[in-house]
Amino acid sequence: MAIVLNQTQEMLRESALAFLRESAPVSTLRKLRDTRDETGFSPDLWHSFAELGFAGVLVAEEFGGSGLGAVEAGVIMEALGRTLAPTPFFSTAVLGALLISRCGNAAQQAQYLPAIAAGKHLTALAIDEQGTHRPERQALRAARQDGGFVLDGDKMFVIDGHVADTLIVAGRTAGGTDDADGISLFLVPRGSAGVSVERTVMADARNAARIRLRDVRVGDDAVLGPVGAAAGPLGQVLDLARAALASELVGIADEAFERTVQYLKERKQFGKIIGEFQALQHRAAHLFSEIEITRALVLRSQQKLDEAPAGPAALVSAAKARAGTTALLAVQEGVQMHGGMGMTDEFEIGFYMKRASAAQALLGDSHFHTQRWAVLRGY
């Protein structure tokens, strides 16, 4: 298979990018940040996003979605990376839709998926319990009681947790904190008794939350997938989400590069356009090469995920690790080549630096995925 987008995927990419550039430029994020908006995104923008079919890209057609795959989710994430548009796409249309599609029973799918595709229901995955991503480390306890479960524990870095209608909570029903077996997933309404949510705005002005669950009672119908055996399907969904994040990082790198090249063509120093200086040309050429290599790796990982969701775990980690380092290189070079102006809030390049730092850390930073790749490859 050629490592390029087909015509339909390219049209989807162009459609998403055109819509976001018109409806949600970086100034939208700036306004949400400066006004300390309580929601952190525009509900009207999200509804328009859903009307165009983007929210249901990973939802089966029988539930009102498009039934597409990792590549299509990736091209939308790339468009989001280029515009920095704050939406609940990743938390709901990627993580939520995938987990309910792959782990949910018929009743759960019928209840949640049409609403997700229509942009009427938001979800958030509550999985991390410490400062670094360790999905296998689950200390939150889920104890059997009275025909259901009682949940007790804390979660952090829950993306869009403060606005989610439903929290998808990973908890331990058996075994020790670091055991692969014994992990279960639960659908918990955010307003449930015993659930407290603290919004924590990240460095890039995006939404996250700390979630505390104390004596939270849920029925058997809240269990998402088999009890104690969620690690396998959860891992596959996390890999597709990581590949989607890698596409967002490619979009960030692309936009930072294009803005920097445009600045090099306009800024004069010592009576010359600074883009004429050979040293800056070499740095720009190197960055362009890094972005194109990363783009190919990310797309290949998504193509392999669409062929076999359980197969390309090492390839996904390679893509996420490289996308993180490439995006950080792009924004660092962008800020440096903008000179002192690059350090000011007036220039939007700083927004891309902040988002790149947050996105590369989400679901495992470059160090995490380099180590994971090495282990999976037998080193």
Side-chain angles (χ1 to χ4, degrees):
M1 178 183 292
I3 311 177
V4 293
L5 298 176
N6 62 35
Q7 185 176 6
T8 301
Q9 292 161 350
E10 186 63 40
M11 289 175 60
L12 177 64
R13 175 184 176 278
E14 292 175 358
S15 174
L17 187 56
F19 169 76
L20 290 170
R21 278 182 166 162
E22 180 180 352
S23 304
V26 181
S27 57
T28 302
L29 177 61
R30 183 190 292 274
K31 181 179 179 181
L32 291 170
R33 182 201 65 176
D34 293 346
T35 59
R36 300 183 181 275
D37 184 86
E38 293 183 0
T39 303
F41 71 96
S42 168
D44 290 338
L45 174 67
W46 179 240
H47 293 150
S48 297
F49 208 64
E51 288 175 357
L52 291 170
F54 299 136
V57 66
L58 294 174
V59 174
E61 292 182 13
E62 63 182 298
F63 298 114
S66 305
L68 300 175
V71 175
E72 289 79 11
V75 299
I76 295 174
M77 286 291 287
E78 182 181 341
L80 289 167
R82 296 200 65 150
T83 60
L84 300 184
T87 73
F89 179 80
F90 180 71
S91 58
T92 297
V94 176
L95 284 168
L98 281 172
L99 284 169
I100 294 171
S101 295
R102 297 188 179 186
C103 301
N105 56 38
Q108 290 167 335
Q109 291 174 356
Q111 178 181 353
Y112 292 103
L113 292 180
I116 287 175
K120 297 179 179 179
H121 195 90
L122 303 180
T123 64
L125 175 62
I127 183 169
D128 286 325
E129 300 182 355
Q130 56 186 15
T132 55
H133 181 57
R134 289 284 299 275
E136 74 284 356
R137 174 163 288 184
Q138 298 297 323
L140 184 145
R141 304 303 301 187
R144 275 279 188 189
Q145 190 175 103
D146 300 330
F149 292 86
V150 178
L151 310 182
D152 279 286
D154 299 317
K155 299 291 182 180
M156 60 193 308
F157 297 122
V158 181
I159 304 302
D160 294 323
H162 79 294
V163 293
D165 300 297
T166 300
L167 302 171
I168 303 176
V169 180
R172 183 161 295 285
T173 48
T177 300
D178 293 312
D179 291 346
D181 295 329
I183 296 174
S184 303
L185 296 173
F186 300 89
L187 296 167
V188 181
R190 180 168 53 91
S192 299
V195 176
S196 61
V197 180
E198 177 189 357
R199 183 187 182 189
T200 55
V201 180
M202 296 190 293
D204 61 343
R206 298 297 187 90
N207 293 325
R210 293 189 182 95
I211 308 292
R212 176 173 294 180
L213 298 96
R214 294 292 182 268
D215 197 31
V216 177
R217 300 174 183 274
V218 297
D220 281 337
D221 59 347
V223 179
L224 188 63
V227 175
L234 175 60
Q236 293 178 19
V237 169
L238 288 176
D239 271 342
L240 196 150
R242 289 160 178 153
L245 279 170
S247 278
E248 182 184 11
L249 288 161
V250 169
I252 292 169
D254 248 345
E255 188 69 21
F257 175 74
E258 287 190 9
R259 287 171 178 246
T260 301
V261 169
Q262 186 61 38
Y263 185 77
L264 294 181
K265 294 177 180 179
E266 297 172 351
R267 172 68 170 159
K268 284 187 176 182
Q269 188 72 16
F270 307 115
K272 296 180 66 175
I273 298 294
I274 63 174
E276 296 178 20
F277 298 133
Q278 193 174 58
L280 295 183
Q281 291 175 358
H282 287 170
R283 289 167 65 176
H286 170 68
L287 179 55
F288 174 79
S289 299
E290 291 295 305
I291 293 173
E292 291 307 307
I293 293 170
T294 301
R295 189 194 315 280
L297 177 58
V298 171
L299 178 55
R300 189 58 172 163
S301 72
Q302 293 164 351
Q303 290 173 339
K304 287 293 186 181
L305 280 167
D306 285 336
E307 293 174 7
L315 188 60
V316 168
S317 277
K320 179 63 163 61
R322 185 174 179 89
T325 56
T326 299
L328 290 178
L329 174 64
V331 295
Q332 288 165 2
E333 288 286 75
V335 168
Q336 287 188 18
M337 292 189 201
H338 275 79
M341 293 297 294
M343 299 298 294
T344 67
D345 192 61
E346 177 186 350
F347 269 53
E348 294 175 346
I349 192 72
F351 284 80
Y352 288 89
M353 173 173 275
K354 293 173 183 177
R355 180 56 192 163
S357 298
Q360 76 91 25
L362 187 58
L363 298 188
D365 61 13
S366 296
H367 299 294
F368 173 93
H369 284 290
T370 300
Q371 174 69 18
R372 181 174 182 250
W373 177 88
V375 171
L376 290 170
R377 297 291 290 177
Y379 289 94

